[in-house]
Amino acid sequence: MSKKQDKTQKAAIADLALDFSSGFKYEPAPESSSHVKLEKQYELFIDGKWVAPIDEKYFETTSPATEQVLSRIAEASAADVDKAVKAARNAYENVWSKISAKERGKYLFRIARIIQEKAREFAVIETMEGGKPIRESRDIDVPLAANHFFYYAGWADKLEYAFPGKKANSIGVAGQIIPWNFPLLMAAWKIAPALAAGNTVVLKPAETTSLTALKLAEVFQEAGLPAGVVNIVTGAGATGAAIVNHPDVNKIAFTGSTDVGKIIQKAIAGTNKKLTLELGGKAANIIFEDAAIDQAVEGIVNGIFFNQGHVCCAGSRLFVQEGVADKVIKKLKDRMKSLIVGDPMDKNTDIGAINSKEQLKKINDYLKIGVNEGAEIFQPACTLPKKGYFCAPTLFLHTSQSHRIVQEEIFGPVLAIQTFRTVEEVLEKANNTPYGLSAGVWTDKGSKIFNMTTKLKAGVVWANTYNKFDPASPFGGYKESGIGREGGLHGLLPYLSLS
Ligand code: NAP
Ligand code: MG
């Protein structure tokens, strides 16, 4: 190579390096919504039919990214809930508890396959109404929802093997109430084990995210699921309360905030209703000095910024061992600068829209609280869309155990960082919260992982990874994070009585 050629090549490489350091600019890559079919108005799904609410009340559902109205949704009163429970009871007594377990399994397999066929439509609707990036709805929420139906379809005719030496009896009508952060997936987590175990269902989705549950009702119709086996009643908190207080419901499964969980627990005290609660969290993500740092940084980013931090098991508290703290924080800040915040329908977007105006206000209030408490705030420079509800990824440095941003659930893309020196110190700090849903440990040493997993008071502990879900693996919390488990074999138990 001549000297001149060598010089030209070096200049080209230098140009490239310049390009890398200034970051890639992606062209917009919006997912199309032209294949999505949404009704102007949705009724209640009761006894296999679409029925208008008795009070003729409706509410609007909007896109949190564009603030456009997507559809009108029926608001179920206590009288509508009563109709739904009667339909579920009738289906339980006369159809679902009479057919063979193998038949039940067939319906569940069919539902799983139809979800797969309609995966693209489900993903787009989930993103339009919920605000989460299309990449997540497409690659996580929808496939996992289908997998839950597949998984529990397999159990339907094998309950005698699941609980050897016992007879597994269904319990009747299950009332299920779910939140807005994983609308379709939470519906799948609730409905699939209930049906596999032989029960019927009345389900209420969250007010801001009813659409994929209503689309699921269309799947049930297409699958030929007998009328009344699953009923979907949309509405606000009062609709949920009407399910909880209905005397003919045998089991309540609730996912949502700890405050509402406590109200529900009080409401059913003294009744025969079974109860599972999946509530809030304030997970600790712990990085030791011997961890693979780049991998850990990627895990932290996934743990808190995934789904805008609208994840009950989000790794919202970061504990870094002192020796690597500066390195981790620098890498974390650099990585945050490359995150794309914006249109959730764009396939490049990492952080989509906050689910509602109210939730955005709650997060922004916590940002102020953090600053007033004396923590140092870091947000990468990013232009947020003018319309819609968006929040930049945020770090809080120099926080301490007594800070509210360390103790309280923010449910947004906000990470509070503390450092530690010893295993004992980090265990004490990590466990010092009213919650106990999940945790993460990053280290090269297997023995350290086992030591930590036995001592961390959390239902799920991930090691050298974060936010991984599988239908075969049980999920649930300690302390104020909940009661009972969903997923896996454990997830069948709350829907059965063993004799
Ligand atoms: P939320 O207010 O507790 O709502 C959850 C569901 O309960 C919604 O469908 C809600 O209806 C309904 N509801 C409200 N008041 C009720 C009442 N008195 N009786 C019966 N039902 C009632 O929670 P959110 O703000 O929607 O969701 C965020 C919270 O859920 C966070 O705290 C998060 O940690 C938690 N979460 C936990 C898990 C888990 O697996 N542990 C998973 C996801 C979310 P409306 O939508 O009309 O309010
Ligand atoms: Mg709410």
Side-chain angles (χ1 to χ4, degrees):
M1 192 186 287
S2 73
K3 267 192 179 167
K4 199 175 160 198
Q5 275 175 321
D6 187 36
K7 242 182 164 173
T8 327
Q9 202 175 25
K10 273 188 183 153
I13 291 170
D15 274 357
L16 256 181
L18 210 76
D19 259 346
F20 284 135
S21 67
S22 58
F24 289 103
K25 281 269 173 294
Y26 292 92
E27 287 299 316
E31 169 69 68
S32 155
S33 59
S34 58
H35 58 291
V36 163
K37 201 176 145 273
L38 283 180
E39 305 295 337
K40 281 208 174 69
Q41 177 170 306
Y42 281 92
E43 310 296 347
L44 306 169
F45 185 67
I46 297 177
D47 209 13
K49 293 181 286 289
W50 296 100
V51 295
I54 294 167
D55 293 344
E56 291 175 22
K57 275 197 190 157
Y58 294 84
F59 59 94
E60 285 179 340
T61 186
T62 54
S63 153
T66 64
E67 299 178 45
Q68 271 166 352
V69 174
L70 298 171
S71 186
R72 262 160 56 94
I73 311 275
E75 185 174 339
S77 63
D80 296 307
V81 168
D82 182 53
K83 259 166 82 173
V85 173
K86 286 201 170 98
R89 174 64 58 194
N90 184 38
Y92 175 72
E93 302 288 350
N94 301 314
V95 186
W96 203 240
S97 63
K98 298 265 164 64
I99 66 172
S100 72
K102 216 179 204 160
E103 278 301 303
R104 289 203 308 267
K106 274 194 212 167
Y107 283 111
L108 289 172
F109 275 122
R110 212 176 285 164
I111 292 164
R113 281 195 301 267
I114 301 174
I115 294 174
Q116 284 186 323
E117 280 165 20
K118 295 180 186 291
R120 196 158 157 232
E121 191 180 13
F122 268 113
V124 169
I125 297 173
E126 199 74 317
T127 286
M128 281 166 77
E129 196 190 27
K132 66 176 65 190
I134 185 71
R135 228 170 45 209
E136 281 169 20
S137 322
R138 184 194 63 194
D139 298 345
I140 297 166
D141 297 58
V142 178
L144 268 177
N147 286 352
H148 260 83
F149 279 101
F150 276 124
Y151 176 77
Y152 282 109
W155 272 125
D157 62 350
K158 299 175 196 69
L159 297 177
E160 59 192 295
Y161 304 103
F163 307 101
K166 306 252 184 209
K167 190 167 179 299
N169 311 293
S170 58
I171 52 177
V173 175
Q176 309 181 321
I177 300 156
I178 56 175
W180 43 260
N181 58 344
F182 289 91
L184 178 69
L185 186 58
M186 289 299 119
W189 276 28
K190 299 270 181 291
I191 295 171
L195 297 195
N199 307 287
T200 57
V201 165
V202 176
L203 175 123
K204 187 196 97 68
E207 205 178 335
T208 54
T209 54
S210 307
L211 289 176
T212 43
L214 294 164
K215 278 276 156 188
L216 198 54
E218 293 176 6
V219 170
F220 298 147
Q221 284 184 315
E222 198 177 325
L225 190 72
V229 172
V230 179
N231 306 273
I232 311 275
V233 286
T234 42
T239 308
I243 297 177
V244 170
N245 295 321
H246 197 289
D248 201 29
V249 169
N250 302 92
K251 188 228 151 40
I252 295 294
F254 171 79
T255 298
S257 60
T258 297
D259 287 347
V260 175
K262 286 179 182 174
I263 295 174
I264 292 177
Q265 202 171 14
K266 277 189 199 137
I268 70 161
T271 71
N272 271 334
K273 288 173 192 163
K274 282 180 101 147
L275 177 65
T276 39
L277 298 172
E278 299 277 7
L279 309 174
K282 192 75 187 176
N285 220 344
I286 302 167
I287 304 191
F288 286 98
E289 281 164 1
D290 58 7
I293 300 295
D294 287 332
Q295 193 185 329
V297 167
E298 212 43 46
I300 300 161
V301 167
N302 173 32
I304 184 65
F305 301 133
F306 164 62
N307 196 18
Q308 298 70 250
H310 294 340
V311 185
C312 46
C313 49
S316 52
R317 291 180 299 153
L318 175 63
F319 293 95
V320 194
Q321 205 162 12
E322 259 183 24
V324 288
D326 289 348
K327 191 171 165 189
V328 167
I329 291 166
K330 177 170 184 321
K331 280 180 184 268
L332 191 55
K333 284 181 174 174
D334 284 347
R335 181 67 181 92
M336 285 167 73
K337 287 176 196 159
S338 71
L339 292 173
I340 301 172
V341 188
D343 180 7
M345 290 288 276
D346 193 310
K347 289 166 208 146
N348 297 320
T349 295
D350 298 302
I351 301 183
I354 300 300
N355 181 262
S356 65
K357 204 175 179 173
E358 293 70 36
Q359 187 60 24
L360 180 60
K361 184 181 176 308
K362 183 180 158 193
I363 298 168
N364 284 334
D365 286 349
Y366 271 109
L367 297 188
K368 283 191 205 116
I369 291 169
V371 171
N372 290 338
E373 282 176 325
E376 181 187 319
I377 190 169
F378 168 81
Q379 289 180 324
C382 56
T383 326
L384 302 181
K386 289 207 175 57
K387 254 201 163 350
Y389 318 127
F390 292 89
C391 179
T394 307
L395 284 189
F396 273 117
L397 298 142
H398 310 300
T399 63
S400 71
Q401 288 297 101
S402 58
H403 284 167
R404 283 184 62 194
I405 50 166
V406 169
Q407 288 294 331
E408 297 172 18
E409 186 181 48
I410 301 173
F411 224 56
V414 184
L415 178 64
I417 305 187
Q418 295 183 68
T419 56
F420 70 94
R421 289 184 184 172
T422 64
V423 168
E424 293 68 35
E425 179 193 350
V426 77
L427 276 171
E428 188 152 337
K429 284 180 171 172
N431 286 336
N432 178 15
T433 139
Y435 297 112
L437 192 58
S438 59
V441 179
W442 300 83
T443 168
D444 201 26
K445 300 258 180 317
S447 55
K448 215 181 262 173
I449 293 173
F450 286 121
N451 183 34
M452 296 296 290
T453 50
T454 49
K455 292 176 184 159
L456 281 167
K457 292 201 170 58
V460 180
V461 183
W462 285 289
N464 295 327
T465 187
Y466 207 86
N467 270 343
K468 290 279 180 289
F469 303 94
D470 190 279
S473 167
F475 183 90
Y478 274 82
K479 300 191 279 186
E480 294 202 3
S481 286
I483 305 170
R485 295 291 176 263
E486 290 186 314
L489 188 54
H490 298 69
L492 283 168
L493 264 178
Y495 291 99
L496 292 168
S497 74
L498 300 180
S499 56

